[in-house]
Amino acid sequence: MSDQSVAVGVGLAGVMAHCGGSPVAAVELLVGAIASSPEAPEPYAALAELWRERRPELEKGLAGDGSISAVTAQAYFFFLDGAVDDAAMALGSVTGARPDVGWGAAPWFGDERFLGAVSAEALAEACLRTLDYGHDLDTDAMRERFAPWFHAIEAVGGRRPVPESLAAMSRLPRACGRHELALALCDRADAVEPVMWTAVARGSTWRGMGDLDRAAAAFESAVALDPANWSLFLDLADIRAEQGDFGAAADLAGRGLEHGPGEIALRAAHAAYRSRHSGSPEDLKALIALAPHLTNPTYRNQLIDHACAGPKLPRLLVAMARRLRTN
């Protein structure tokens, strides 16, 4: 949006707010201007004026409103009130819903009053919220839009390095293809104290980069830090399967079952990897029974493909399993 268009939007919002109109409708106009030019200061100045002059009406009108418009405005209102943790998490929610808009370019998001006060835990939660909708962020355009987020991560992570929070923050740059930043955050976390979540974050980053050996080593570290966590055994089993070592994958899934005997995904993986390794019809039958209960269709298809490639399996049983794949 041009400077002139921003000015027009701000002007219309002023008319809407002060000439018998609705302050909530004015907020919608101002957030529209923000969405088109997130770095422009004028819409925020108008929002601040509205918050000062019409706060009771806005609080009533925006209460319970989860729209993009309402949450964007509320993020700024939180900042104005000094509730910077709530401001960060609200902006994370908005960004997750509409990552095609550079919401992080908001002047307040890079302000030292925000960066110097927001907690590592809140910024970590905000980063996770940006990933809630599963959008593809690994593009040059997305990396440019998320540059203010990377700056905030560096600033807050450097000011107060909380290992679990740094590990959570690293998921955002990893999703954006900024693997070097994700690994640097893991290094910073380990310098404070090695924790399981950092090892998982590091392993997931190496796995995303295609370095399965380093990914496996990181997940082995995670298992050593939390040896009763069944999901870590599943992650490591899946990596060993990607490496083609289905015997090790089956053994790891079996070790995981000692800690999570009722976990469907773990039971299915154990059956699939045993079937692939030994050609056991009984294990393929077990997978066929479990597959409909797997909620992730991509993972279900992957396990079926592995299992059906086992040696000397009955053709009819393989056909039954393949019919459970999702196209």
Side-chain angles (χ1 to χ4, degrees):
M1 180 181 281
S2 68
D3 291 344
Q4 183 179 1
S5 298
V6 169
V8 169
V10 171
L12 288 173
V15 171
M16 184 67 69
H18 298 106
C19 296
S22 163
V24 173
V27 164
E28 292 177 1
L29 287 169
L30 290 172
V31 173
I34 289 171
S36 297
S37 186
E39 72 283 356
E42 295 85 356
Y44 301 99
L47 278 174
E49 182 180 352
L50 268 179
W51 192 235
R52 286 192 303 269
E53 297 181 356
R54 310 290 290 273
R55 179 167 181 158
E57 295 168 78
L58 286 173
E59 287 179 333
K60 181 178 179 181
L62 297 176
D65 187 344
S67 68
I68 293 290
S69 174
V71 178
T72 302
Q74 287 165 342
Y76 185 51
F77 295 154
F78 282 136
F79 169 73
L80 292 175
D81 286 347
V84 291
D85 283 2
D86 291 329
M89 291 186 284
L91 197 70
S93 296
V94 169
T95 303
R98 288 286 309 277
D100 56 311
V101 175
W103 305 103
W108 67 264
F109 192 68
D111 193 303
E112 182 55 31
R113 289 173 296 172
F114 171 75
L115 295 177
V118 67
S119 71
E121 293 84 356
L123 187 62
E125 173 61 25
C127 289
L128 296 179
R129 291 186 185 191
T130 68
L131 309 176
D132 276 349
Y133 293 82
H135 295 289
D136 180 13
L137 306 183
D138 191 2
T139 67
D140 288 339
M142 287 296 182
R143 281 185 282 276
E144 182 177 353
R145 291 190 191 103
F146 277 94
W149 283 87
F150 303 146
H151 173 69
I153 288 170
E154 291 272 28
V156 176
R159 171 172 56 80
R160 183 165 175 253
V162 179
E164 292 84 357
S165 297
L166 288 167
M169 289 179 199
S170 76
R171 289 183 57 185
L172 175 55
R174 181 171 81 234
C176 293
R178 287 285 311 274
H179 297 116
E180 80 293 344
L181 176 54
L183 290 171
L185 292 169
C186 292
D187 290 342
R188 189 178 297 171
D190 279 340
V192 178
E193 178 189 7
V195 297
M196 178 269 289
W197 290 113
T198 305
V200 169
R202 188 186 300 279
S204 298
T205 302
W206 285 123
R207 190 177 185 183
M209 296 171 69
D211 192 329
L212 296 181
D213 289 338
R214 285 179 170 173
F219 274 101
E220 286 172 352
S221 297
V223 168
L225 289 163
D226 190 0
N229 189 325
W230 67 266
S231 67
L232 299 178
F233 287 101
L234 180 57
D235 287 327
L236 189 51
D238 290 341
I239 292 172
R240 293 306 184 197
E242 287 183 59
Q243 293 177 307
D245 190 345
F246 291 97
D251 288 344
L252 284 162
R255 288 172 61 192
L257 285 171
E258 296 173 11
H259 306 286
E263 297 296 333
I264 297 296
L266 192 58
R267 291 168 58 198
H270 186 240
Y273 297 149
R274 281 172 56 91
S275 178
R276 174 64 177 83
H277 179 62
S278 64
S280 163
E282 293 305 313
D283 284 311
L284 184 52
K285 289 178 183 177
L287 177 62
I288 289 170
L290 292 166
H293 303 289
L294 292 171
T295 57
N296 184 330
T298 300
Y299 190 58
R300 178 172 62 243
N301 290 349
Q302 178 180 303
L303 291 181
I304 290 171
D305 289 343
H306 284 319
C308 290
K312 299 180 180 179
L313 287 167
R315 291 182 180 179
L316 288 177
L317 206 56
V318 169
M320 287 177 61
R322 291 199 181 281
R323 282 197 292 270
L324 297 172
R325 293 183 90 263
T326 302
N327 294 326

